[in-house]
Amino acid sequence: MRVTIKEVATEAQVSIATVSRVINDKGYISSKTRNRVNNAMRKLNYKPNIAARKLHGKQSKTIGIIIPTLNNPLFSELFDDIEKHLNTYEYQTLLCTTNNSLEKEKQCFELLKSNQVEGIITSSHTDFLDNHTFDGYPVVSFDRITSNRIPVVKSDNLNGGRIIAKRILEMNKSYVLILSGTKDGFYKNDERIKGMLSIFRASDISIGKAAISFASPTNRKLALIEQILSGKKYDAICCTDDVTALLVNLVCTDMNYHPLVTGYDGSKSVRTLFPNLITVKQPIDQMAKLMCDILIKRIQYPYFISKDEYSFPATLIN
Amino acid sequence: MRVTIKEVATEAQVSIATVSRVINDKGYISSKTRNRVNNAMRKLNYKPNIAARKLHGKQSKTIGIIIPTLNNPLFSELFDDIEKHLNTYEYQTLLCTTNNSLEKEKQCFELLKSNQVEGIITSSHTDFLDNHTFDGYPVVSFDRITSNRIPVVKSDNLNGGRIIAKRILEMNKSYVLILSGTKDGFYKNDERIKGMLSIFRASDISIGKAAISFASPTNRKLALIEQILSGKKYDAICCTDDVTALLVNLVCTDMNYHPLVTGYDGSKSVRTLFPNLITVKQPIDQMAKLMCDILIKRIQYPYFISKDEYSFPATLIN
DNA sequence: CTGAAAGCGCTAACAC
DNA sequence: GTGTTAGCGCTTTCAG
């Protein structure tokens, strides 16, 4: 068995309450005892049992993270940034992936609650989060619309769409396909698409639309894309995310068909590995930081009222 | 507060012990009471408090995962596969990233222990894991050498290196650079390099060697690579991992310099996004599955003795 | 400033 | 078959 607070107390010749106090830096303790306890902890290599701490319902010092998948650089970077930032608050992280299934998402939520997280950062729908399910947990959402007063940290998708569309016009394209990386028409994609349309409609470009399902395995996606592109009639294809854009590029190369393909998200690894991709960058690191800050603030000051929405600028790459 | 076992007991008109029994499916219970309890749980939407369960030291039903970074498709896929597979055992996962720092790795280990994980899957060094630190926890390691009887699941790096080298010879290259993606010369890279050398040395090819540090930020890596390649004297560059190979390709393109560049790892996303990359594939999914199976077996049967090493074949891509 | 003791939600003897 | 009860390791009143 691991060393417990009791043994530390014995070693330091104090009560467990005192040990607890120095661990949590609460209440007044003479610096003598504090030192004695610290030495004992070091000597015995004591590590608090987080489960026991969680049992009190407070101070679990862990935040739950819900993301669709790590196999998308947007989300793996997001997670990375979130984790790094939470660590500076001495919070740890419990990760759940949903693969965009509503079912799994509910399970994630339950799992996180079962694990007594103090708050949740979600980049999934959360639409279903009625006040019952969500039980007063502090929650912040990444880039998704949510109903009931869950703050959303997003970037300006409407403008992002406009930026891309303008870029397309600059390049004198005349038949563009808007390809959504998700069939279910999430808010964020809608906004991006709305932005694109607002520009395209004011020009004399013709527009096609299509969507592929986010959760499909890659092979399936490639097949779908090939089918969609089989007519080869577009001279530009605007995707609502980078991964879709990269897959489209693959298929096009195979077909020896070379339209202009644009992406969206602009994660670091996509930008370095595909430096020529025209895309829109969301400031992932800043968004991650803000989400953490809001959440921690909300946890520490339960009456802290956040804004409903925080929006970051979206910037054109290439 | 969330609903507890007590309230379920009251609702079902039984004792908490009975409720606990039906939750854990232990001991004999009449099917009547079982039903009553199940109904009560459903009605109240009861979810067990995992922290409380962990407090008993057993059945935390969580496994700790230590990986260097998620910003490498090898590891994000590995994690994904591990998580999926552990879920089938009804285990959850606690993820720690080390960015290959030994310091952070030790912290991860402590963190996981603090969280009462039942076992650990690590893809980091683990060399430092003396029997003290590691405290009898079941541990299995991904592709790294470990000292003391921690089973290692790896793929045949020696042969992988040979395969790549043979491929290079087939293409009549005559001056190759072996570029290690890590400066510290981990075992696995050594083996890969050893394999390459065993083939190259038997031919009349000239060989250069270089290494860049795994933990560097991408920009730094690019700069290092540029420096290494500034002589432009190689007609083939064999990297010990795919990410390094991709970065090399980027730099080469910039320099308008076109040697053959090979990678190693062959994760799914690299294979789909860079279908022409010559690389060696490790069967990540199978390795993940095996690691989970070994670990769970070891947890369930403490006297289960695993082999010291499980090796999977490495296969050439392209 | 420090200690005693109650209790967090749950499991596991041990009774009946 | 089911209930009683003693903890698991820790935090937190409440006394002193």
Side-chain angles (χ1 to χ4, degrees):
Chain A
M1 216 44 237
R2 308 191 49 194
V3 14
T4 75
I5 200 175
K6 225 168 181 169
E7 300 161 59
V8 175
T10 312
E11 175 72 26
Q13 314 219 49
V14 295
S15 73
I16 60 167
T18 305
V19 177
S20 175
R21 280 188 196 102
V22 356
I23 294 171
N24 299 292
D25 204 13
K26 258 179 194 162
Y28 296 91
I29 337 134
S30 74
S31 53
K32 280 177 229 164
T33 29
R34 187 201 307 282
N35 282 332
R36 210 137 35 84
V37 171
N38 277 326
N39 287 332
M41 294 202 292
R42 211 162 315 125
K43 179 173 171 191
L44 300 177
N45 189 27
Y46 168 74
K47 303 287 167 194
N49 181 327
I50 293 184
R53 202 176 271 174
K54 283 184 182 177
L55 203 42
H56 280 260
K58 333 185 162 184
Q59 286 274 106
S60 76
K61 282 286 187 189
T62 114
I63 300 288
I65 315 290
I66 301 178
I67 62 171
T69 169
L70 287 173
N71 288 328
N72 181 322
L74 172 67
F75 294 114
S76 59
E77 285 176 22
L78 182 68
F79 177 74
D80 221 68
D81 289 336
I82 289 174
E83 207 203 12
K84 287 211 177 77
H85 200 63
L86 283 180
N87 284 345
T88 69
Y89 284 110
E90 308 211 301
Y91 267 76
Q92 44 168 307
T93 251
L94 196 54
L95 173 68
C96 263
T97 54
T98 65
N99 205 32
N100 257 29
S101 130
L102 198 88
E103 189 47 40
K104 270 219 81 183
E105 192 167 334
K106 287 185 187 173
Q107 287 172 20
C108 284
F109 213 84
E110 292 306 334
L111 180 73
L112 296 177
K113 290 202 291 181
S114 278
N115 280 280
Q116 321 303 116
V117 299
E118 292 180 43
I120 293 175
I121 295 179
T122 174
S123 56
S124 267
H125 320 46
T126 68
D127 296 2
F128 73 91
L129 292 181
D130 50 35
N131 284 306
H132 172 64
T133 326
F134 116 89
D135 242 0
Y137 269 91
V139 176
V140 25
S141 161
F142 175 78
D143 200 30
R144 303 284 167 133
I145 197 171
T146 52
S147 21
N148 38 23
R149 298 213 32 75
I150 294 176
V152 183
V153 173
K154 45 168 289 206
S155 60
D156 188 343
N157 293 307
L158 194 68
N159 193 236
R162 281 195 287 243
I163 290 174
I164 279 282
K166 283 181 196 157
R167 188 78 178 79
I168 295 289
L169 291 185
E170 272 174 37
M171 300 183 78
N172 295 314
K173 302 299 175 185
S174 51
Y175 197 173
V176 356
L177 172 67
I178 296 179
L179 182 51
S180 168
T182 149
K183 253 192 168 145
D184 328 319
F186 293 146
Y187 173 76
K188 69 164 190 180
N189 288 335
D190 282 355
E191 288 286 290
R192 291 175 190 178
I193 292 173
K194 233 183 270 176
M196 294 179 196
L197 290 176
S198 73
I199 300 295
F200 287 143
R201 290 218 170 110
S203 75
D204 55 354
I205 256 180
S206 350
I207 301 164
K209 283 195 217 173
I212 59 179
S213 167
F214 177 91
S216 309
T218 305
N219 284 341
R220 177 97 188 99
K221 284 188 184 178
L222 289 170
L224 282 170
I225 291 171
E226 186 165 0
Q227 198 180 315
I228 291 169
L229 299 186
S230 57
K232 291 196 183 195
K233 38 191 173 181
Y234 309 103
D235 55 6
I237 302 177
C238 298
C239 305
T240 58
D241 68 293
D242 289 335
V243 173
T244 304
L246 297 175
L247 295 179
V248 167
N249 263 329
L250 282 178
V251 173
C252 287
T253 307
D254 273 3
M255 297 171 78
N256 195 25
Y257 163 37
H258 302 286
L260 176 68
V261 178
T262 64
Y264 204 112
D265 285 339
S267 61
K268 240 189 248 166
S269 47
V270 167
R271 275 181 291 134
T272 64
L273 290 177
F274 302 91
N276 299 319
L277 181 69
I278 294 181
T279 185
V280 170
K281 178 190 158 195
Q282 307 193 64
I284 303 176
D285 46 352
Q286 296 172 44
M287 296 167 82
K289 180 170 181 331
L290 182 64
M291 289 194 289
C292 297
D293 291 343
I294 294 173
L295 199 61
I296 297 289
K297 207 162 183 178
R298 168 68 207 287
I299 289 168
Q300 290 176 340
Y301 311 102
Y303 296 113
F304 163 69
I305 303 290
S306 57
K307 291 199 290 183
D308 285 5
E309 190 179 300
Y310 298 81
S311 189
F312 283 82
T315 53
L316 184 69
I317 303 292
N318 292 311
Chain B
M1 214 47 234
R2 307 193 49 193
V3 14
T4 76
I5 200 173
K6 225 169 182 167
E7 299 163 58
V8 176
T10 313
E11 175 73 25
Q13 313 220 49
V14 294
S15 72
I16 59 166
T18 305
V19 177
S20 175
R21 279 186 197 105
V22 354
I23 294 171
N24 300 291
D25 204 12
K26 258 178 192 160
Y28 295 89
I29 338 131
S30 76
S31 53
K32 279 177 233 165
T33 29
R34 187 201 308 280
N35 283 331
R36 210 134 37 82
V37 171
N38 278 325
N39 288 332
M41 294 201 294
R42 211 162 314 125
K43 180 173 170 191
L44 301 177
N45 188 27
Y46 168 74
K47 303 288 166 193
N49 180 327
I50 293 183
R53 202 177 269 173
K54 282 184 182 176
L55 203 43
H56 280 258
K58 333 184 161 184
Q59 287 273 106
S60 76
K61 281 288 187 185
T62 114
I63 301 288
I65 316 289
I66 301 178
I67 61 171
T69 169
L70 287 172
N71 288 329
N72 180 323
L74 172 67
F75 294 114
S76 60
E77 284 176 23
L78 183 69
F79 177 73
D80 220 67
D81 289 335
I82 289 174
E83 206 202 13
K84 287 212 176 75
H85 201 63
L86 284 179
N87 284 346
T88 70
Y89 284 110
E90 307 210 301
Y91 268 77
Q92 45 168 305
T93 251
L94 196 53
L95 173 67
C96 265
T97 54
T98 65
N99 203 31
N100 257 29
S101 129
L102 198 86
E103 189 46 43
K104 269 219 81 182
E105 193 166 335
K106 287 184 186 173
Q107 288 172 17
C108 284
F109 214 84
E110 292 307 334
L111 179 72
L112 295 177
K113 291 202 292 182
S114 278
N115 279 281
Q116 321 305 116
V117 299
E118 292 181 43
I120 292 175
I121 295 178
T122 173
S123 55
S124 268
H125 322 46
T126 69
D127 297 3
F128 74 90
L129 292 181
D130 50 35
N131 284 306
H132 172 63
T133 328
F134 116 88
D135 241 1
Y137 268 91
V139 176
V140 23
S141 161
F142 175 78
D143 200 30
R144 303 286 167 130
I145 197 170
T146 53
S147 22
N148 37 23
R149 297 214 34 72
I150 294 176
V152 183
V153 173
K154 44 168 291 205
S155 60
D156 189 343
N157 292 307
L158 194 68
N159 193 237
R162 283 195 287 245
I163 290 174
I164 279 282
K166 285 181 194 156
R167 189 78 177 80
I168 295 289
L169 291 186
E170 272 175 35
M171 300 183 78
N172 295 315
K173 300 301 174 185
S174 49
Y175 197 175
V176 355
L177 172 68
I178 296 179
L179 181 53
S180 170
T182 147
K183 253 193 168 144
D184 328 317
F186 293 146
Y187 173 78
K188 68 164 192 180
N189 288 334
D190 282 355
E191 287 287 290
R192 291 175 189 177
I193 292 173
K194 233 184 270 175
M196 293 179 196
L197 290 176
S198 74
I199 300 296
F200 287 143
R201 291 218 168 110
S203 75
D204 55 356
I205 255 178
S206 350
I207 301 164
K209 282 195 217 172
I212 59 179
S213 166
F214 177 92
S216 310
T218 305
N219 284 342
R220 177 97 188 97
K221 283 188 183 178
L222 290 170
L224 282 169
I225 292 171
E226 186 164 1
Q227 197 181 315
I228 291 169
L229 299 186
S230 56
K232 289 196 184 197
K233 41 193 173 184
Y234 310 102
D235 56 5
I237 301 176
C238 298
C239 304
T240 58
D241 69 292
D242 289 335
V243 173
T244 304
L246 297 175
L247 295 180
V248 168
N249 263 329
L250 282 178
V251 173
C252 287
T253 306
D254 272 3
M255 298 171 77
N256 194 25
Y257 162 40
H258 301 287
L260 177 67
V261 178
T262 65
Y264 203 111
D265 286 337
S267 62
K268 239 188 251 166
S269 46
V270 168
R271 276 182 290 134
T272 63
L273 290 178
F274 302 91
N276 299 320
L277 181 69
I278 295 181
T279 186
V280 170
K281 178 191 157 194
Q282 306 192 64
I284 304 176
D285 46 352
Q286 296 172 45
M287 295 168 81
K289 182 171 179 329
L290 182 65
M291 288 194 290
C292 296
D293 291 344
I294 294 173
L295 199 61
I296 298 289
K297 208 162 183 177
R298 168 68 208 288
I299 289 168
Q300 290 176 340
Y301 311 103
Y303 296 114
F304 164 70
I305 304 289
S306 57
K307 293 200 289 184
D308 285 7
E309 189 179 300
Y310 297 81
S311 189
F312 283 82
T315 54
L316 184 69
I317 303 293
N318 291 311

